[in-house]
Amino acid sequence: MSTLNAEAQQKLQQLMASFGLRTDAERTPLSNWIDGDLVAGDGDTVELTNPATGESLIDYRDAGPALLGQAVEAATRAQVEWMALTASERGRRMNAAVRRLEGHEEDLAQLESIVAGKPIRDCRGEVGKVREMFEYYAGWCDKQHGEVIPVPTSHLNYVRHVPFGVVGQITPWNAPMFTCAWQLAPAIAAGNGVVLKPSELTPFSSVVIARLLEGGGLPKGLINIVNGLGPTTGAALTDHDAIAKLVFVGSPDSGRLIAEAGARRLIPSVLELGGKSANIVFDDARIDDAVAGAQAAIFAAAGQSCVAGSRLLIQRDIFDVVVERVGRAASRIAVGLPADDATRMGPLQNAGQFARVTGMIERARAAGARVVTGGGRPDGLPAGADGYYLAPTVIADVDASMEIACEEIFGPVVVAMPFDDEADAVRLANATRFGLAGAVWTQDPARAHRVAGQLRAGTVWINSYKAINVMSPFGGFGDSGFGRSSGLDGLREYTVPQSVWVETGAEASVAMGYGDGRA
Ligand code: NAD
């Protein structure tokens, strides 16, 4: 084993022990948070690989249906307790809960950096988002007013926004702490209990977050984290009778399975899926900004971001210069070890993703595309860094029908394609079954709004990229999913409107059928 991996293993063990996720007598990590307790799984062993070295990091055991059942039971009981509190008390407790992360942020960031292979500076930023999301949604607890509807009868008709009960959440590996807090916070602010299954590849940070939060006064069992594989623990969650809504963040293929499971049980789902976002640069754009934007759009998080700007559409007369400049900027990105403060881009997270991305690059080459920069292993990595590293890659001479121009890559690879005019840009941008995000770079404000308005994407940036905040609704069209997260829209996904009719006339008048307009 490389020294690098031995050090990572040791550091991870230390961090897990400091958070109480110590191993049990059989050296199995306590990888679940169920009913206020850390519990080891007892199903099949899940082995995690160090993304930076490609060597074995740690293993844990799948939770499976029995533990999942205990988690649902706990959430069902705790949800009643939670709703018995006043709305303002729920808000106060959410604020108190998230303050329990104070003093643990750095350790949490380091734990995630080792397991996810993400640069430590990105992980520190992600921990900050956990706090932001809880504080934002804590503020909503006592502001979920209902409405009074001016019905044309003598009734007082009011609408309350009531929780579903227990919701099931499933998250991916690319931003585990962000997605965990992104969905936990509105779910409990709306009054629900939660069972969340993180990706099997990044299981621990959500457990640590839930454990720390509960110390802040959330009822025992309100938040439960169960870890395991999709087809076992994940399917047990989606199929459980007491789960009233599913919220899924992940790939379109799994999203389809989750929506099907929901449909079988006639429960609703929210799907936050992948993307193939277009980043459009017009020839009147400030080129320096557009180049910086293109770089951040695709190479942040090594491209493992749902909103990655993986299609760079450039007006033909500036195509060569922009491609050359984005390529040059890409080759200067500091690719390195996740633990290193100077690292701006780390490895891909796992072997499957690495094989997928490199396979797509090879097939694009074979189909005649030109690799402008990158395309292989970056130079200058330290000894032992034999994991899933791929240099920032820019690809040109791409036909819009090629796999690399159509499929989500989820890696540090951007395809550059020229367009002739506004109509051509919009046509190319929308020529995808995805619809998550997009951007327009131009100094003409009228054009910016005109083009933004024609993009079939849930989020559009003008002279910007990746500006995302918990206050603003987020979600997709088409294969990027349905439903919304963040903001009031995200909160409303966790409630059901209940319409209450109260007769205010001197005497009740109950009509048979629709006849007299009173019923
Ligand atoms: P994935 O679909 O492989 O896995 C996501 C989760 O689904 C994991 O927890 C997995 O265990 C679970 N799962 C898989 N099969 C299941 C089943 N049959 N039943 C229940 N659960 C099951 O996705 P991934 O590879 O972890 O993540 C990458 C994908 O996530 C990309 O497509 C990316 O764009 C997308 N993503 C979307 C957003 C968004 O907000 N739109 C955010 C982050 C990532």
Side-chain angles (χ1 to χ4, degrees):
M1 185 191 300
S2 65
T3 314
L4 212 53
N5 201 54
E7 284 168 4
Q9 274 188 339
Q10 196 190 2
K11 180 80 192 165
L12 180 60
Q13 292 288 356
Q14 268 170 15
L15 290 165
M16 292 199 24
S18 77
F19 285 125
L21 279 68
R22 56 179 167 53
T23 49
D24 69 6
E26 289 168 359
R27 302 188 52 76
T28 307
L30 307 180
S31 52
N32 306 284
W33 177 248
I34 298 173
D35 200 8
D37 255 329
L38 287 163
V39 190
D42 57 6
D44 289 345
T45 297
V46 184
E47 189 180 336
L48 297 186
T49 301
N50 184 339
T53 66
E55 296 166 282
S56 177
L57 185 61
I58 191 169
D59 46 50
Y60 68 98
R61 292 182 61 188
D62 198 330
L67 285 181
L68 188 279
Q70 288 177 24
V72 177
E73 227 170 83
T76 306
R77 196 202 57 240
Q79 191 262 340
V80 175
E81 212 181 300
W82 185 230
M83 281 306 285
L85 300 172
T86 63
S88 18
E89 181 59 18
R90 287 197 292 274
R92 268 196 293 275
R93 291 193 188 197
M94 280 187 70
N95 273 318
V98 79
R99 281 199 296 274
R100 302 283 298 199
L101 262 56
E102 276 168 22
H104 299 286
E105 292 99 332
E106 180 60 22
D107 281 356
L108 191 50
Q110 292 207 13
L111 179 142
E112 191 74 306
S113 174
I114 295 170
V115 177
K118 290 175 76 155
I120 183 66
R121 52 179 273 135
D122 291 1
C123 293
R124 289 182 184 127
E126 211 179 317
V127 177
K129 291 285 164 197
V130 174
R131 180 169 185 147
E132 201 176 294
M133 287 174 198
F134 269 80
E135 286 174 347
Y136 172 75
Y137 279 113
W140 271 114
C141 283
D142 57 4
K143 294 168 195 68
Q144 296 177 64
H145 309 149
E147 294 101 44
V148 175
I149 313 293
V151 291
T153 62
S154 54
H155 294 97
L156 163 67
N157 175 224
Y158 62 90
V159 176
R160 302 166 64 226
H161 297 281
V162 300
F164 278 86
V166 179
V167 295
Q169 302 175 335
I170 298 179
T171 57
W173 46 260
N174 65 316
M177 296 188 287
F178 179 101
T179 42
C180 166
W182 194 36
Q183 299 304 335
L184 281 184
I188 64 169
N192 298 282
V194 182
V195 179
L196 183 147
K197 192 200 88 62
S199 166
E200 58 274 24
L201 298 167
T202 49
F204 306 126
S205 55
S206 303
V207 174
V208 172
I209 290 171
R211 177 169 183 256
L212 291 172
L213 288 174
E214 201 173 280
L218 303 182
K220 182 163 107 69
L222 186 69
I223 293 173
N224 302 270
I225 311 290
V226 284
N227 272 301
L229 303 173
T232 51
T233 302
L237 176 59
T238 59
D239 292 346
H240 197 290
D241 280 350
I243 297 287
K245 180 156 188 174
L246 296 169
V247 177
F248 174 80
V249 187
S251 66
D253 285 349
S254 309
R256 214 163 265 123
L257 296 175
I258 277 46
E260 281 169 9
R264 274 197 301 278
R265 294 194 38 243
L266 292 178
I267 62 166
S269 49
V270 169
L271 302 183
E272 296 283 2
L273 309 178
K276 190 71 184 173
S277 300
N279 193 9
I280 306 171
V281 184
F282 284 99
D283 60 7
D284 62 354
R286 285 193 303 266
I287 300 298
D288 288 353
D289 291 354
V291 168
Q295 178 182 345
I298 186 66
F299 300 125
Q304 300 167 119
S305 159
C306 54
V307 293
S310 53
R311 289 185 301 150
L312 181 58
L313 310 184
I314 309 164
Q315 198 151 12
R316 200 174 295 277
D317 53 338
I318 56 164
F319 183 81
D320 289 340
V321 67
V322 173
V323 169
E324 194 270 327
R325 288 196 52 188
V326 173
R328 217 171 343 127
S331 61
R332 289 202 200 111
I333 292 173
V335 183
L337 293 176
D340 189 340
D341 272 321
T343 297
R344 294 292 177 274
M345 207 183 96
L348 298 190
Q349 204 278 333
N350 58 79
Q353 194 57 29
F354 184 75
R356 176 185 158 83
V357 176
T358 50
M360 284 174 86
I361 296 173
E362 285 325 305
R363 288 190 291 280
R365 270 194 230 263
R370 171 170 59 98
V371 176
V372 176
T373 187
R377 204 179 139 74
D379 299 326
L381 290 171
D386 297 326
Y388 313 122
Y389 280 98
L390 179 66
T393 300
V394 179
I395 297 186
D397 301 347
V398 171
D399 184 286
S401 65
M402 283 181 186
E403 175 197 44
I404 203 147
C406 302
E407 298 300 325
E408 181 179 40
I409 299 177
F410 221 54
V413 182
V414 63
V415 294
M417 291 188 277
F419 66 84
D420 292 312
D421 54 20
E422 231 176 89
D424 198 25
V426 170
R427 181 191 58 77
L428 261 177
N430 287 339
T432 168
R433 55 181 208 283
F434 293 102
L436 195 58
V440 186
W441 298 86
T442 174
Q443 291 191 71
D444 175 346
R447 163 184 271 173
H449 292 288
R450 203 162 53 231
V451 173
Q454 294 175 78
L455 294 183
R456 195 170 163 275
T459 297
V460 179
W461 295 286
I462 295 173
N463 295 327
S464 184
Y465 209 99
K466 273 204 163 174
I468 284 175
N469 191 277
V470 65
M471 298 180 190
S472 184
F474 181 89
F477 286 77
D479 277 13
S480 294
F482 47 75
R484 288 294 178 268
S485 299
S486 293
L488 179 57
D489 300 84
L491 184 70
R492 287 283 186 257
E493 294 286 1
Y494 286 103
T495 58
V496 193
Q498 181 193 46
S499 175
V500 181
W501 295 72
V502 185
E503 178 57 83
T504 64
E507 51 192 66
S509 161
V510 183
M512 294 282 283
Y514 300 110
D516 62 2
R518 285 184 60 82

